[in-house]
Amino acid sequence: MSPRVDDVMKLCCELSANQQIKTTVKHSGKGAMTAGGLAFAGGLVGGPLGIAVGGAVGGLLGCWMTSGQFKPLPQVIREMTPEQQQKLYEDIMAILGSIDWTDVAQLLAIVMGNTSLQQQVTAALLSYIHKELQAEVHYVD
């Protein structure tokens, strides 16, 4: 990976870490479907009490099925393939334009010192994560 791509990936990691962004794989809806499906099946078998029991069991099963799917965004960025990182780099460079930097510290200073630029880079990062990686983004309080 070229040093400039590496610098932009580090910038993206720093931005997302500062904002405490986590992602979850879009397929985590299967946990919700499991909970709903078992509540429905419980209702068919046991009426209102069956709905409660099925929903509780389904909720626990859905929780277990989706555990570990929430990852900090910097981890997601580091785990991307070189091709995915190159595509993200191109998206971010469309925003950075002709900005020139010598090292990652200077790039971080430039972007972090400009609120508008920081927001644009963050928006491009989140858009890429959502569209290309099929992930949902969550802000941690």
Side-chain angles (χ1 to χ4, degrees), residues 28-90:
S28 65
K30 68 183 175 186
M33 289 176 45
T34 300
L38 283 176
F40 177 74
L44 290 176
V45 174
L49 182 59
I51 293 172
V53 172
V57 171
L60 290 172
L61 183 59
C63 178
W64 174 77
M65 288 172 56
T66 60
S67 67
Q69 289 192 9
F70 287 89
K71 293 182 181 180
L73 191 48
Q75 179 182 348
V76 172
I77 294 167
R78 286 189 296 271
E79 292 174 354
M80 291 187 331
T81 66
E83 293 79 20
Q84 291 170 325
Q85 289 184 351
Q86 181 65 37
K87 173 70 172 103
L88 176 58
Y89 168 78
E90 292 166 4

